[in-house]
Amino acid sequence: MNQPVRIGIIGLGGFAGSHHNTIARLEERGIVRLVCACDPNPSAFSVERQALRFEARGVRVFGDYREMLQACHGDLDYVAIPTPIALHAEMHDAVTSHGLPAYLEKPPTLDWQELDRMVAADRRARKSSVVGFNFIVEKSRLALKERLLSGEFGAIRGGTLSALWPRPAGYFGRNGWSGRLVIGDRIVLDSCFGNTMAHFVHNMLFWTGTPGVYRWADIAAVRAELYRAHGIEGADTFFVEADLSTGCTLRFALSLACAGASASSETVICEKAILRYCVGGQVEVSWKDGRTERIPSGPFDGLEENHLEYCRYLRGEIPRPATTLEDSRPLVVLNDLAHISSGGIHPIPAHLVSMARDAKEQKDYVSVAGMQKTVDNFLGRGIWPSYAGWRRDNGEVVTPADLGRFHGIVREMAAARRAPGP
Ligand SMILES: NC(=O)c1ccc[n+]([C@@H]2O[C@H](COP(=O)([O-])OP(=O)(O)OC[C@H]3O[C@@H](n4cnc5c(N)ncnc54)[C@H](O)[C@@H]3O)[C@@H](O)[C@H]2O)c1
């Protein structure tokens, strides 16, 4: 019988609350034990702490994560960090300084230089940290990637990601960092591409990563147009084209400025077949000879499966975690190059933007007329929104050699947003 894996969680609210629920369930099964938790204002969570039976479970609660680590590091096997993005690096630094690995929520950071520092800091931990990209551990995904690598579908010719997730205007007010480019001297860059739907972007880079299953694509060049319709600092709508070092091209269209049902579709175009993977929905292989193969993907609890998988890794039952910090590099580089390429975040032309009231939810959604057609034109035919008059200039073609311009460009974007209009 294995001893339960000992966990500390930084945070009590927001998505940290979901980690607590998951860990409580796994603790009942004897797989893990929650040793400690913290929040700058723990008394604000007395109801949750009671519901989670902290006292009976012997969970120690702190008001500062450094104090928690100082007091408990000898009793821990890993620390979960489901906190605001701008705090990830300093918290990961503190955790690894005690030799402990972290379950770090995605994205680890959206600043490529900070990621370098985090990769270096992670070497101090006795085991590699994991980044919580939910969907890499899906069995149906791993099996399909094996088939891709075996050459069964022929060479990969390209891929597309379509991801439209309507979000009400109030969504960006839920915390102090949503939709922000920078806060003080810290790069945040919160967006649908780098955060909300980053899972799917990371999945696309996973499909096209070679030569092994746990490999992500290498970005060679990027062109992007970034837009906003919501009243935020960052972008809520991304059109991005990435050339990979393997020679194939990926196109991404993501937006939170839309109405209707949420939908996302990962498509991989191969010589002999087209693969369509919808998280939580249909997985389909359309063969060029006319056959259609449907693969059951089954119910999937991302957080539970990822904690379970990480415990297996820490116990030495599997050789590696699903996504390491180093594996997150292609996503971070792609996101940073998309911002450099776009150069600015352009408002979607006002005549296309309207508010749509959801009577059932009693919420207002920002909706862009023709969004689906614009997405289809871009993904299917390479027609950029700028050709449809969304902006006058195109995104510049940039390569990883341009990353040195990243910080300056992001600060210019934030300053432009703050400057009074003409
Ligand atoms: N994997 C997923 O599906 C998924 C879903 C939602 C959010 N997330 C990720 O989870 C992370 C947190 O997002 P969120 O929306 O819950 O953020 P949030 O702003 O609601 O913060 C979550 C919690 O972090 C804790 N926290 C904040 N500052 C702290 C500090 N100084 N010290 C200790 N604890 C502190 C608080 O307890 C807070 O409730 C982000 O990286 C986000 O991208 C992942």
Side-chain angles (χ1 to χ4, degrees):
M1 183 71 181
N2 282 317
Q3 289 295 318
V5 178
R6 300 162 304 166
I7 300 177
I9 300 180
I10 304 184
L12 287 169
F15 202 57
S18 305
H19 278 261
H20 279 288
N21 293 334
T22 298
I23 293 305
R25 282 198 308 275
L26 295 181
E27 191 168 299
E28 276 172 21
R29 289 163 58 189
I31 296 166
V32 299
R33 183 165 72 78
L34 182 66
V35 172
C36 52
C38 64
D39 182 275
N41 186 9
S43 55
F45 293 93
S46 46
V47 173
E48 289 82 353
R49 284 159 57 187
Q50 229 167 18
L52 288 161
R53 298 176 40 257
F54 270 17
E55 219 174 280
R57 290 163 66 200
V59 180
R60 297 177 69 185
V61 178
F62 295 81
D64 185 296
Y65 72 88
R66 296 174 207 86
E67 277 171 30
M68 177 183 97
L69 293 172
Q70 196 56 45
C72 302
H73 68 91
D75 302 322
L76 292 170
D77 295 311
Y78 74 100
V79 178
I81 310 181
T83 59
I85 302 168
L87 298 178
H88 287 181
E90 64 169 64
M91 290 175 169
H92 171 264
D93 186 63
V95 169
T96 54
S97 74
H98 290 285
L100 289 168
Y103 182 127
L104 189 57
E105 260 309 332
K106 57 80 199 165
T109 169
L110 290 168
D111 174 344
W112 66 278
Q113 276 182 334
E114 189 167 71
L115 182 67
D116 280 347
R117 293 192 289 272
M118 293 172 81
V119 167
D122 211 54
R123 293 193 194 108
R124 303 178 301 190
R126 45 182 176 260
K127 292 284 240 174
S128 178
S129 293
V130 67
V131 183
F133 286 104
N134 291 350
F135 302 108
I136 299 306
V137 301
E138 280 182 303
K139 293 203 167 38
S140 47
R141 181 180 300 277
L142 291 165
L144 200 55
K145 174 97 190 245
E146 295 268 13
R147 290 175 67 187
L148 254 174
L149 290 173
S150 76
E152 184 184 344
F153 307 118
I156 298 177
R157 294 290 187 224
T160 64
L161 172 68
S162 164
L164 298 178
W165 273 16
R167 285 293 175 268
Y171 169 78
F172 296 98
R174 73 191 190 286
N175 56 38
W177 54 274
S178 187
R180 298 294 302 274
L181 290 170
V182 292
I183 296 180
D185 60 354
R186 297 188 190 187
I187 297 278
V188 179
L189 234 55
D190 177 58
S191 75
C192 55
F193 195 90
N195 184 20
T196 324
M197 297 191 274
H199 291 295
F200 309 133
V201 178
H202 185 66
N203 291 346
M204 288 306 299
L205 298 168
F206 173 75
W207 291 128
T208 46
T210 54
V213 171
Y214 290 97
R215 294 296 282 267
W216 280 259
D218 188 32
I219 309 292
V222 173
R223 212 175 132 197
E225 295 186 1
L226 272 51
Y227 296 95
R228 74 166 72 83
H230 286 92
I232 55 173
E233 192 177 51
D236 57 34
T237 301
F238 282 67
F239 293 87
V240 179
E241 189 175 79
D243 294 334
L244 307 182
S245 56
T246 51
C248 77
T249 297
L250 300 181
R251 289 200 192 110
F252 304 82
L254 294 86
S255 182
L256 303 178
C258 44
S262 293
S264 75
S265 179
E266 301 160 32
T267 303
V268 186
I269 302 152
C270 303
E271 259 174 339
K272 298 183 198 163
I274 296 177
L275 322 183
R276 288 189 193 81
Y277 202 107
C278 298
V279 164
Q282 197 76 36
V283 182
E284 208 173 78
V285 178
S286 306
W287 290 90
K288 285 234 168 100
D289 63 14
R291 281 177 298 138
T292 301
E293 198 185 322
R294 292 199 174 83
I295 301 166
S297 63
F300 175 73
D301 179 332
L303 206 44
E304 184 170 307
E305 292 299 330
N306 277 281
H307 274 288
L308 279 172
E309 174 98 346
Y310 194 49
C311 289
R312 273 181 220 120
Y313 161 68
L314 294 181
R315 284 200 206 99
E317 292 165 18
I318 52 172
R320 51 158 293 148
T323 296
T324 63
L325 281 160
E326 186 60 47
D327 300 331
S328 313
R329 193 183 295 281
L331 171 95
V332 176
V333 165
L334 176 57
N335 181 66
D336 291 1
L337 290 177
H339 282 79
I340 300 169
S341 167
S342 187
I345 299 169
H346 292 249
I348 295 177
H351 69 276
L352 298 175
V353 181
S354 62
M355 295 299 275
R357 181 89 180 152
D358 185 308
K360 212 164 100 194
E361 287 183 28
Q362 291 287 301
K363 284 181 183 161
D364 293 314
Y365 284 81
V366 173
S367 168
V368 174
M371 178 64 86
Q372 188 63 59
K373 186 158 184 260
T374 310
V375 166
D376 293 344
N377 275 340
F378 176 65
L379 296 182
R381 299 159 67 199
I383 299 173
W384 290 87
S386 54
Y387 290 107
W390 281 29
R391 60 187 262 188
R392 275 198 296 277
D393 55 337
N394 302 133
E396 174 193 353
V397 177
V398 295
T399 72
D402 289 292
L403 282 170
R405 296 159 56 200
F406 169 68
H407 291 90
I409 285 181
V410 171
R411 293 200 184 283
E412 277 168 28
M413 282 176 170
R417 188 64 175 145
R418 283 193 295 271

